[in-house]
Amino acid sequence: MSMSELGILIPIAAVTIGPVAWVANTWVRARHGYPLEEPEGSDEVGAKRQVELLTNENERQAGQITRLEARLAVLERIATDPAERTAREIDALR
């Protein structure tokens, strides 16, 4: 190849590298399940949604902890009460 042929290939390569890299990036993102385009304001909407999900999860876990504490208190009372008293309470429930 002569120098004049190399001289024309350099600008062609410089112009084509960008689009080829964009196509490769898009293909990799699509293949691995990433969103192809970021919607406008997605950071703000995503952050609000995440806060909402975490708040709901915290409320659910707080309720679960309250129920577990109540059950634990019953188990502690059964374990520490005399057997006769526990038997009387069980009979009273029948």
Side-chain angles (χ1 to χ4, degrees), residues 38-52:
E38 296 293 327
E40 292 294 322
S42 64
D43 291 340
E44 184 177 320
V45 172
K48 286 181 181 178
R49 178 70 178 145
Q50 188 168 5
V51 167
E52 181 182 330

Side-chain angles (χ1 to χ4, degrees), residues 17-18 24 28 37 43 58 60 76 93:
I17 286 176
V28 169
E37 294 180 7
D43 291 340
N58 286 343
R60 186 189 66 79
E76 286 175 343
L93 292 174

Side-chain angles (χ1 to χ4, degrees), residues 1-14:
M1 285 191 141
S2 68
M3 284 300 272
S4 64
E5 291 174 352
L6 284 178
I8 192 74
L9 289 178
I10 291 174
I12 292 173

Side-chain angles (χ1 to χ4, degrees), residues 64-76:
Q64 185 178 14
I65 289 171
T66 302
R67 289 188 303 275
L68 289 174
E69 286 173 340
R71 292 177 71 183
L72 182 61
V74 170
L75 291 174
E76 286 175 343

